[in-house]
Amino acid sequence: MPARTGAEYIKGLQDNPPTVYLNGQKVKDVTTHPGLRNGVHTMAKLLDMQHDTELKPEMTYKSPTTGDPVGMSFLTPRTHEDLDRRRTMMHHWAKATCGMMGRSPDFMNVNMMAMAAAGDYFAQNRPEFKQNIQNYYEHIRENDLVLTHTLLNLQRNRSPGATPLEDRTDIALSVIKETDAGIVVHGARVLATLAPLSDEIALYPTTSHMLPDNAPSPTSFAFAIPSNSPGLKYQCRETFDHTQSHFDHPLGSRFEEMDAVAFFDNVFVPWERVFLIGDVSLCNNMQMATNRHCHSGHQVVTRNLAKCEFVLGLANLMTETLGSNDSAQVQTMIAEIIENLEVTRSCLRASEVDAKTDEWGVMCPAELPLQVARNMFIRMYPRMGELLHLLGSSSLMALPSKADIEGPLAEEIGRYLETDTASARDRVQLFRLAWDVSSSAFGARQILYERFFQADSVRNAVILYNMTDREPASDIVREFLAQD
């Protein structure tokens, strides 16, 4: 079937509802629940963009299986032009969400594409696993499914004696049974962002939380299952969609993608959905061997770019509204946001220019600039939130609601809150947006998310250190010293 519409996505969630708990109650329908429905509708709008007459050539490509138009983020890039096409599509989605949805469908689509292209890697575990991963990729591409993933086990304590990159826990999600039909898993995983709004969930190893060499084989696996699988339950955090207007909570009322803990209570996984099992080495090396992290990094940095663009535009409008944009201090702070934007853009472009065809025949973005961009964004985004605080100051606090603007004190609000460049209403609307970016519960979650979504900064630094060949730089110094 061709790329889905938003209505088809919503119907899919209604026909195959996941088991979701929020605020102490089981959610009957995620598409109508007041804390989730707006996130669902935003996801639907993203899918509808694939059918927009003007955007469709940039959002879809012909399926190699059916010839129908399918989402461009599923494309297996073979050339530099393919990477450009894919990035253009991903940037459209990132702009539509102001960079505020970290788990838009393209994130998982590029992951699964890379894994499928490297099918021979999975065949080293069992020959049939190559066909499993390639069939699964084709399944999600042809049905335009919305995926999430969950990668980390919960831990009872974080012993400082553990190796920083190792995932040590006695409550890990584990395979507790193997049958002729499949496996049964039991345990829990975090953090399943978007899980309550997803069609499927994938579980696979990640380099930032490697399994110890002596890890029990039941904790070594990769698989994917429908979100409505029997025994799979999602426990949501508190919603940040307060069911208020787009005026009062412009981001929270649109982009609540929801984070959840995934509980697996004797969940059955058919063999055709299993991609790796029981091999610690293959699991630990899967990310690097398949280059999935390079393709997901390409998507992440594209989203980060859109987020920087949005924050820059917001900061500029804030200072224009307040008449403070001629201040050298203000210009210095906005220049810092510009630097973040341009460094992110440069790393993204460098990853594409230096892209090379990997051993699987896929045009793979260069890893180093993407790793640098992701690690820097851990520091950039919290700082940009702070810059919005400094630029907005008391204007972030003196914020009537839409009801107030239309209420008994409307005249006073209109008279005293207007500026030389904006009406009171326009000023309040703009600064309510700035509040939602930097100071609301939604904004605080965004800052926390960006601190850890890119993975832990210390672990990233270790990875960056070990992946970088420093000897050529040392040779330059040695050659200089040898001149005497």
Side-chain angles (χ1 to χ4, degrees), residues 94-372:
K95 286 195 301 181
T97 63
C98 311
M100 299 292 168
M101 293 192 79
R103 201 56 52 79
S104 53
D106 46 337
F107 175 78
M108 286 301 299
N109 294 350
V110 301
N111 270 290
M112 302 314 296
M113 175 282 301
M115 292 165 65
D120 287 335
Y121 183 82
F122 299 88
Q124 296 175 89
N125 191 188
R126 297 187 186 181
E128 63 269 25
F129 287 171
K130 173 181 179 178
Q131 199 63 51
N132 286 2
I133 186 64
Q134 292 180 340
N135 286 346
Y136 184 69
Y137 160 66
E138 183 176 17
H139 171 67
I140 62 174
R141 182 189 69 206
E142 297 305 318
N143 292 281
D144 203 13
L145 298 181
V146 173
L147 268 67
T148 189
H149 69 184
T150 181
L151 304 180
L152 308 182
N153 291 306
L154 290 158
Q155 296 175 318
R156 296 188 188 279
N157 67 72
R158 298 185 179 183
S159 170
T163 303
L165 296 183
E166 287 188 349
D167 187 15
R168 294 180 181 272
T169 175
D170 61 349
I171 55 172
L173 178 67
S174 301
V175 178
I176 61 172
K177 184 189 296 185
E178 291 189 27
T179 71
D180 291 341
I183 62 175
V184 178
V185 297
H186 188 82
R189 280 282 180 97
V190 291
L191 182 65
T193 299
L194 197 74
L197 315 184
S198 66
D199 299 304
E200 301 244 344
I201 185 168
L203 293 89
Y204 45 80
T206 177
T207 301
S208 64
H209 288 74
M210 298 178 73
L211 295 162
D213 290 339
N214 61 349
S217 60
T219 64
S220 311
F221 49 73
F223 64 83
I225 55 175
S227 280
N228 70 331
S229 295
L232 174 56
K233 295 166 285 191
Y234 296 131
Q235 174 60 61
C236 300
R237 59 157 167 77
E238 177 185 5
T239 182
F240 300 141
D241 183 349
H242 302 304
T243 67
Q244 297 188 25
S245 68
H246 291 338
F247 184 99
D248 289 333
H249 287 272
L251 301 179
S253 66
R254 289 180 170 95
F255 305 132
E256 173 56 281
E257 59 185 346
M258 187 50 71
D259 307 301
V261 180
F263 294 119
F264 295 80
D265 184 6
N266 295 306
V267 174
F268 174 72
V269 182
W271 279 119
E272 59 266 24
R273 292 301 197 91
V274 178
F275 316 131
L276 287 173
I277 191 167
D279 191 311
V280 172
S281 178
L282 283 177
C283 284
N284 280 342
N285 293 324
M286 186 270 282
Q287 176 172 305
M288 305 301 289
T290 64
N291 292 317
R292 72 159 189 84
H293 63 300
C294 293
H295 294 280
S296 64
H298 190 229
Q299 187 275 342
V300 168
V301 178
T302 299
R303 180 183 63 83
N304 291 351
L305 175 66
K307 206 164 192 175
C308 287
E309 291 170 334
F310 184 77
V311 173
L312 175 59
L314 177 59
N316 191 54
L317 288 175
M318 289 167 63
T319 56
E320 284 183 356
T321 297
L322 297 177
S324 59
N325 50 353
D326 288 334
S327 162
Q329 183 181 14
V330 165
Q331 291 177 1
T332 299
M333 287 189 280
I334 292 183
E336 188 174 340
I337 301 174
I338 295 171
E339 291 166 0
N340 292 341
L341 170 62
E342 292 307 320
V343 167
T344 301
R345 191 197 314 277
S346 297
C347 286
L348 180 62
R349 295 304 289 161
S351 77
E352 295 172 354
V353 171
D354 293 341
K356 292 182 172 59
T357 302
D358 66 15
E359 66 176 295
W360 316 111
V362 179
M363 183 59 67
C364 183
E367 180 181 13
L368 186 60
L370 293 175
Q371 187 69 27
V372 169

Side-chain angles (χ1 to χ4, degrees), residues 416-459:
Y416 295 113
L417 268 68
E418 72 176 2
T419 70
D420 290 344
T421 60
S423 68
R425 181 185 179 88
D426 289 345
R427 173 186 179 170
V428 170
Q429 184 179 27
L430 176 66
F431 279 87
R432 290 200 73 93
L433 174 59
W435 171 266
D436 223 7
V437 172
S438 66
S439 306
S440 69
F442 179 92
R445 182 265 180 189
Q446 286 288 320
I447 290 173
L448 182 65
Y449 186 85
E450 298 300 0
R451 283 189 190 278
F452 294 103
F453 168 72
Q454 327 279 335
D456 178 81
S457 60
V458 174
R459 291 178 175 183

Side-chain angles (χ1 to χ4, degrees), residues 71-118:
M72 185 69 77
S73 58
F74 289 107
L75 178 71
T76 302
R78 303 295 184 186
T79 64
H80 286 87
E81 182 185 9
D82 286 342
L83 283 182
D84 288 341
R85 292 167 65 204
R86 189 177 71 177
R87 189 235 316 127
T88 296
M89 175 268 154
M90 296 189 299
H91 195 239
H92 282 310
W93 269 359
K95 286 195 301 181
T97 63
C98 311
M100 299 292 168
M101 293 192 79
R103 201 56 52 79
S104 53
D106 46 337
F107 175 78
M108 286 301 299
N109 294 350
V110 301
N111 270 290
M112 302 314 296
M113 175 282 301
M115 292 165 65

